[in-house]
Amino acid sequence: MIKLGAHQSIAGGYSEALKRINKIGGNCLQIFSSSPRVWNFAKMNEGEIKKFLILNSKLLIHPIYFHASYLVNLADESRIGHLSKMSLIAEMNIAPLLKIKGSIVHLGSYKEEKTNSKYDSLIENIKEILKKTPKESLFIIENAGNRKIGQTLEEIAQIIKELNDKRIRLCLDTCHLFSNCYRFSNDKELDLFLEKLDGLDLLDKLELWHVNDSRDSFNSGKDRHANIGQGTIGTNEFKTLLNHPKTKNYPFIIETPGFNDEGPDKKNLDILKSLILV
Ligand SMILES: [Zn+2]
């Protein structure tokens, strides 16, 4: 069965997100561990953990991922870098208690210019996070847009190679790929893209896909998501991705604005389901 899910709100507690995804017809899930716009460290009490696990033993939502805070910048050399590291350590420590696979992370940005010392901070911060979190908790790098770290596959490959750790995985976002000059609207183009990934040793790092349409044009360098079918990517790309034998078994998670602007919704999932060939 295809793994298709969405990012959902944790308002009211983590268990509420399980109910929300179940209600809109998804079977896998992404959540924030705490509010993504303020520095808040994930905490969990035993009661909440139990409630979440019991509910999910019935709903069977799997896999589940955390998405790291929007404030994270692991290349920052002072306070923000430190807070980024501490928030990921907190989050990746509670993930296994909830049977959550790990955190999907936008690495951050070099701001005005990339320097060797900012790059070193990035690598050192991630290494420390891995050292201070359980082995089963994955650190999943998401490809980025908008002048952030990880816009090109080559840049991500270099970072992953340097980290050299099995717990480092990759999340590819269709919107961010499209705005950075990667597209595949048929099987042949997707085959070429997968070959490129493989050539960079990234194919066996691939953990999941973020499936979002784009508000901006091809190779715009931006990263603004659109609802499926309302953006510039075109549904052929999603159809290809969801049906290709080499990609159809990955989890697919939407982060679309929603047709009522209330976040990822049933209609976006239903459109994707309608593209799946039986
Ligand atoms: Zn994404």
Side-chain angles (χ1 to χ4, degrees), residues 30 67 104 106 142-143 171-176 209-212 223 225 253-255:
Q30 174 181 292
H67 192 295
I104 299 167
H106 282 297
E142 178 171 353
N143 70 309
C171 170
L172 289 176
D173 186 306
T174 54
C175 169
H176 309 162
W209 292 83
H210 277 170
V211 181
N212 299 303
D223 59 359
H225 299 172
I253 291 191
I254 61 166
E255 303 170 306

Side-chain angles (χ1 to χ4, degrees), residues 42-61:
K43 279 195 284 298
M44 266 282 124
N45 66 51
E46 297 226 354
E48 257 181 296
I49 294 171
K50 225 175 182 171
K51 193 173 155 194
F52 186 88
L53 294 175
I54 289 173
L55 179 60
N56 207 22
S57 69
K58 298 186 193 95
L59 300 181
L60 304 174
I61 305 302

Side-chain angles (χ1 to χ4, degrees), residues 22-235:
N22 187 56
K23 199 173 162 200
I24 63 169
N27 59 14
C28 54
L29 174 67
Q30 174 181 292
I31 54 176
F32 291 122
S33 64
S34 60
S35 169
R37 294 176 209 280
V38 289
W39 288 111
N40 236 332
F41 299 130
K43 279 195 284 298
M44 266 282 124
N45 66 51
E46 297 226 354
E48 257 181 296
I49 294 171
K50 225 175 182 171
K51 193 173 155 194
F52 186 88
L53 294 175
I54 289 173
L55 179 60
N56 207 22
S57 69
K58 298 186 193 95
L59 300 181
L60 304 174
I61 305 302
H62 179 80
I64 306 175
Y65 302 96
F66 279 133
H67 192 295
S69 164
Y70 291 134
L71 303 176
V72 163
N73 185 359
L74 291 163
D76 181 273
E77 296 174 282
S78 55
R79 180 173 167 270
I80 300 298
H82 178 74
L83 289 168
S84 301
K85 183 170 66 189
M86 299 314 284
S87 76
L88 275 157
I89 289 172
E91 188 169 290
M92 286 172 62
N93 268 297
I94 66 161
L97 305 175
L98 298 160
K99 299 196 175 137
I100 290 176
K101 286 190 84 178
S103 292
I104 299 167
V105 188
H106 282 297
L107 298 175
S109 118
Y110 295 119
K111 298 277 159 88
E112 298 78 32
E113 56 161 351
K114 180 179 176 182
T115 62
N116 287 340
S117 82
K118 285 179 193 171
Y119 179 78
D120 291 346
S121 293
L122 171 71
I123 299 296
E124 287 314 311
N125 279 332
I126 300 173
K127 282 187 176 167
E128 191 179 333
I129 291 165
L130 292 171
K131 210 190 300 170
K132 294 184 174 165
T133 51
K135 295 225 168 340
E136 59 268 48
S137 210
L138 303 177
F139 185 101
I140 306 162
I141 296 174
E142 178 171 353
N143 70 309
N146 213 12
R147 289 178 283 142
K148 304 271 169 54
I149 301 168
Q151 284 192 226
T152 67
L153 297 175
E154 286 79 5
E155 184 181 16
I156 295 173
Q158 151 84 38
I159 292 166
I160 291 184
K161 194 173 162 200
E162 178 124 22
L163 289 164
N164 188 27
D165 190 303
K166 284 196 178 67
R167 292 166 59 201
I168 303 289
R169 305 283 292 160
L170 173 66
C171 170
L172 289 176
D173 186 306
T174 54
C175 169
H176 309 162
L177 284 173
F178 187 76
S179 57
N180 287 288
C181 217
Y182 305 102
R183 75 193 306 178
F184 32 81
S185 47
N186 57 51
D187 279 359
K188 204 177 149 199
E189 287 174 12
L190 182 54
D191 278 326
L192 286 173
F193 178 78
L194 295 174
E195 269 173 38
K196 186 176 169 66
L197 269 188
D198 200 24
L200 291 165
D201 293 326
L202 289 178
L203 189 55
D204 62 355
K205 300 287 178 191
L206 186 55
E207 171 72 25
L208 79 152
W209 292 83
H210 277 170
V211 181
N212 299 303
D213 213 327
S214 173
R215 282 175 63 184
D216 301 289
S217 55
F218 182 64
N219 204 21
S220 63
K222 301 244 174 76
D223 59 359
R224 300 181 305 161
H225 299 172
N227 292 317
I228 304 299
Q230 283 195 327
T232 50
I233 295 183
T235 46

Side-chain angles (χ1 to χ4, degrees), residues 228-243:
I228 304 299
Q230 283 195 327
T232 50
I233 295 183
T235 46
N236 273 342
E237 172 152 329
F238 305 120
K239 193 174 183 178
T240 304
L241 193 59
L242 294 170
N243 292 290

